[in-house]
Amino acid sequence: MNLRRQLLTSALIQGTGAAATLLALLLIGANLGPEAQGLFSRIRAELDFTAAIASIGIPQALFYFLGRARMSIHSAIKVILVGSAGSMLAAAVYCSMSTRWDALPGMVFLLANGVLAMHGNLRGVVLAVSHPARFNVVTALPQWMLLGYALTAVLFGRVAPVDVASAFALSFGAGVVLGWGSIWRAIPRQPRADSESTPWAAMAWYGAANGLSAGFATGAVLLMLRGLEEVVGAKALGV
């Protein structure tokens, strides 16, 4: 497949994923009201923020060091698992500081955070070692599945924190399963790393330099949504 066709295919697949997420948000707002839409938006912002804080720059670093054969897939797998655990820890700290998450929804929120972080880090590895089409589907599949959740929420006429967190966990979990499958297929084909020792310090600096902006951006969005919700209520978060 030539470069132009690859770019068009990527734009089409990932574009439909982004459109599915937007359509899910509009469906919830149009059928269940701005408060339900605001709840969905706020939980998504919380998940994005805590996952980004624990995974600052890891996907970019994994892609860079794997692509330059300075890291093995086995080392990358360790990073993915540690990043997922770190995201769940960040989510636990966030939940302990928030009054919005009760016991059961909070546990599902922790799980969703771990899955989101794992999905993001897996994307960096899949992009480095697998076919671009697999990367596109791994990226877009969770967004397509969130549209399915929106349709289900409209059918049953409710949006609750535990439902939204579960939807994110299941949707991005599907992307995680597909991502692990892509990595497993790539292991026999990966070139041997130039060094037996993984450059952890260089990877940390590279990841931090590339990922701080994502952490600040998601934090700013969450602060804005939380501020609006505190002042004028969840209805203000809808459109």
Side-chain angles (χ1 to χ4, degrees), residues 104-141:
L104 178 59
M107 292 175 63
V108 179
F109 181 77
L110 297 184
L111 175 62
N113 264 278
V115 172
L116 245 73
M118 184 175 290
H119 178 265
N121 295 335
L122 278 168
R123 287 177 65 240
V125 178
V126 172
L127 182 59
V129 303
S130 188
H131 193 277
R134 286 185 173 273
F135 170 78
N136 293 330
V137 176
V138 168
T139 299
L141 178 61

Side-chain angles (χ1 to χ4, degrees), residues 49-170:
F49 172 68
T50 48
I53 287 298
S55 303
I56 287 182
I58 291 179
Q60 297 93 327
L62 288 171
F63 171 71
Y64 177 82
F65 284 96
L66 279 168
R68 291 180 172 264
R70 296 181 62 189
M71 170 184 278
S72 69
I73 290 184
H74 295 91
S75 294
I77 289 173
K78 295 177 184 177
V79 175
I80 291 170
L81 296 176
V82 170
S84 182
S87 181
M88 294 179 72
L89 178 60
V93 172
Y94 177 83
C95 285
S96 69
M97 299 171 62
S98 175
T99 59
R100 289 177 169 83
W101 290 100
D102 297 326
L104 178 59
M107 292 175 63
V108 179
F109 181 77
L110 297 184
L111 175 62
N113 264 278
V115 172
L116 245 73
M118 184 175 290
H119 178 265
N121 295 335
L122 278 168
R123 287 177 65 240
V125 178
V126 172
L127 182 59
V129 303
S130 188
H131 193 277
R134 286 185 173 273
F135 170 78
N136 293 330
V137 176
V138 168
T139 299
L141 178 61
Q143 298 169 310
W144 298 333
M145 291 187 65
L146 283 174
L147 176 58
Y149 161 72
L151 293 169
T152 303
V154 169
L155 179 64
F156 286 93
R158 58 165 270 171
V159 169
V162 68
D163 299 336
V164 177
S166 298
F168 274 91
L170 291 172

